[in-house]
Amino acid sequence: MSSVKNAFFNLLGVIEEGFDAVRNRFRKPLQKIKGIRIVPYKGFSNGTSLFLKGRVIRNPFTFTPRDKASRWHNLRDTYRRFSTHEMAGIQVELRWNESLHIATTDEEGYFTFQLEDLPQSESSVMIWGKLELRLVTQTADEPTITTADILIPPASAQFGVISDIDDTVLVSNATHKLRMAKLAFFHNARTRLPFEGVASFYQALQKGTSAGAFNPIFYVSSSPWNLFDMLTEFFTWQKIPQGPLMLKDIGISRTQVGGASHHTHKLAQIELIMRMYPNLPFILIGDSGQHDPEIYRQVVLDYPGRILAIYIRDVSKDKRDLEVETIISSIANSSVPMFLIPDTEAAAQHAAANGWIAREEIAEVKEEISETKKDVSPSFLQPGNMTEEEG
């Protein structure tokens, strides 16, 4: 992650920790607490292995984004996302077929199920299955039961896609402190913008070129888990295919604010996905503003023969572009093409030429790009072209 973005989210982590410390001083005994809820994130499985993460929170807020919400309304929602009442030491039970598994929440309220050698379930024949989660730890409420969405790619999948989010899918201006803060604090899922052509291109990648195929898309980012609901709503609103989000806990403790580094976090999540689907090749998509080229180069080295192509959106200045070109040259002998692309159409053209998307889908990408540019100024869509004064 860029130092600016890292510092930005670390600051949010410190603020969140301060809220936690105050609340913990006045927290009631567990058995007297009401309103504890399970907030599951999207998981994924290969039929016999499973990864699912979630959080247990007291009285979670329900956010309703509006097209014309005021800046104050959006700022209030941002504050609420980072002032969660997370619950530590809570047991959560997962039911897979007839087997039961239990995980306990950590000090930030997160629980993780990473299971192997599971019995085959009826859910394994679905693309999106549902698993039951139940709150085990006794509270004053009735037992809390919810369901989690689990992605199970079908045998017909031609490949998978692993994509970054900030400045790859979502315009974030991560290299420009002020602009990034304005977008994060004063906008919502319906006023944030995607890069032009992304929805059509990702839809084409998911459909592939084989009848009945469904190619899974995974989103790996160092954005905090607090933004999960906003990102999920953003994908829905912009018609970008849904997929598991692999985000980051930014508020572990004062000595570990921000958790693992951007490079370490993203590489670990990508490796988890690669191991889950050892027979599936992948396309990697990122941007030049952060460390995606360096991370993806390492993936190419660690998983030879597994990467079909790498598309890096050019959102940086000349000096960084030269660094990226050096990285591209360093894997030239690996037979994995890595491209520093100016726009989504360039990636779509290459994908179509290699038979990963239907050629007619290029027209859909072009049309979306054209429609987006009618409504949005190019400077907003191209963070790398902004000057420091503009930021």
Side-chain angles (χ1 to χ4, degrees):
M1 180 188 298
S2 67
S3 58
V4 170
K5 186 178 178 184
N6 194 39
F8 175 72
F9 283 133
N10 282 353
L11 174 60
L12 292 178
V14 171
I15 294 171
E16 181 190 19
E17 186 187 348
F19 290 136
D20 294 344
V22 173
R23 280 198 304 268
N24 288 336
R25 289 189 61 185
F26 301 100
R27 182 164 284 169
K28 299 177 182 179
L30 182 60
Q31 60 269 27
K32 297 182 180 180
I33 293 179
K34 296 183 179 182
I36 298 179
R37 295 291 179 265
I38 304 171
V39 181
Y41 306 130
K42 289 180 172 64
F44 52 95
S45 170
N46 59 16
T48 58
S49 297
L50 165 77
F51 181 85
L52 173 65
K53 194 176 181 74
R55 206 173 191 188
V56 176
I57 299 175
R58 181 188 176 194
N59 296 322
F61 289 103
T62 299
F63 300 97
T64 305
R66 300 199 301 264
D67 298 358
K68 297 181 180 180
S70 67
R71 289 192 170 195
W72 169 250
H73 179 93
N74 292 331
L75 180 62
R76 183 192 62 187
D77 282 354
T78 301
Y79 161 78
R80 287 175 171 176
R81 284 190 175 92
F82 287 91
S83 60
T84 51
H85 296 239
E86 60 270 4
M87 303 300 297
I90 304 292
Q91 289 186 318
V92 179
E93 179 184 85
L94 176 147
R95 179 181 293 274
W96 173 276
N97 204 4
E98 296 302 319
S99 63
L100 299 177
H101 306 269
I102 292 178
T104 303
T105 60
D106 63 18
E107 61 184 353
E108 287 294 316
Y110 294 105
F111 63 86
T112 302
F113 289 98
Q114 190 166 347
L115 308 174
E116 298 180 355
D117 300 323
L118 296 168
Q120 285 284 350
S121 168
E122 291 183 1
S123 296
S124 63
V125 300
M126 305 176 184
I127 294 176
W128 282 101
K130 288 188 178 294
L131 293 180
E132 182 182 285
L133 295 173
R134 185 175 72 90
L135 202 64
V136 177
T137 304
Q138 186 64 42
T139 70
D141 284 345
E142 293 296 320
T144 297
I145 299 176
T146 189
T147 56
D149 293 322
I150 306 294
L151 175 65
I152 309 175
S156 60
Q158 299 170 282
F159 55 83
V161 176
I162 297 175
S163 174
D164 179 46
I165 298 177
D166 291 311
D167 287 335
T168 299
V169 173
L170 174 70
V171 176
S172 302
N173 296 335
T175 58
H176 295 264
K177 181 167 54 178
L178 182 56
R179 286 181 179 269
M180 179 182 67
K182 286 181 178 179
L183 288 173
F185 287 128
F186 299 119
H187 286 260
N188 62 50
R190 296 194 177 185
T191 60
R192 296 294 298 269
L193 293 175
F195 277 92
E196 67 275 29
V198 164
S200 297
F201 181 45
Y202 280 38
Q203 290 170 16
L205 287 170
Q206 188 171 77
K207 288 187 293 187
T209 56
S210 177
F214 179 96
N215 300 318
I217 301 178
F218 302 84
Y219 299 94
V220 179
S221 172
S222 287
S223 291
W225 281 110
N226 306 67
L227 300 181
F228 175 82
D229 73 286
M230 189 278 288
L231 292 171
T232 300
E233 171 68 19
F234 169 79
F235 290 150
T236 300
W237 182 249
Q238 297 294 343
K239 298 182 173 59
I240 297 170
Q242 296 284 349
L245 273 65
M246 309 292 281
L247 306 180
K248 185 180 177 184
D249 175 16
I250 65 167
I252 297 176
S253 68
R254 186 167 296 279
T255 57
Q256 293 182 320
V257 172
S261 71
H262 171 72
H263 188 285
T264 300
H265 164 75
K266 291 190 71 171
L267 184 59
Q269 307 314 305
I270 293 171
E271 289 177 341
L272 174 61
I273 297 167
M274 301 288 288
R275 292 194 303 269
M276 183 74 77
Y277 308 102
N279 299 318
L280 198 63
F282 281 87
I283 293 172
L284 308 180
I285 307 177
D287 66 87
S288 61
Q290 302 181 37
H291 295 154
D292 291 340
E294 289 86 346
I295 295 168
Y296 292 168
R297 173 178 59 186
Q298 190 62 48
V299 175
V300 169
L301 297 176
D302 292 344
Y303 295 91
R306 296 285 308 280
I307 306 304
L308 297 175
I310 302 172
Y311 301 126
I312 301 295
R313 184 181 296 280
D314 186 2
V315 297
S316 55
K317 297 180 180 179
D318 292 344
K319 180 179 179 180
R320 175 58 176 162
D321 288 350
L322 290 174
E323 294 173 349
V324 174
E325 293 292 352
T326 300
I327 293 170
I328 292 174
S329 298
S330 72
I331 64 168
N333 295 329
S334 69
S335 76
V336 177
M338 179 189 289
F339 299 100
L340 185 62
I341 58 170
D343 53 36
T344 308
E345 182 184 345
Q349 292 281 3
H350 181 265
N354 283 274
W356 301 325
I357 68 171
R359 183 160 291 279
E360 55 266 26
E361 298 289 353
I362 297 175
E364 297 293 328
V365 174
K366 287 183 176 180
E367 182 178 354
E368 183 186 335
I369 291 173
S370 177
E371 290 299 317
T372 303
K373 287 184 175 180
K374 288 179 182 178
D375 301 326
V376 183
S377 66
S379 63
F380 191 83
L381 286 170
Q382 300 293 339
N385 293 335
M386 290 181 258
T387 66
E388 294 295 341
E389 290 73 21
E390 289 174 319

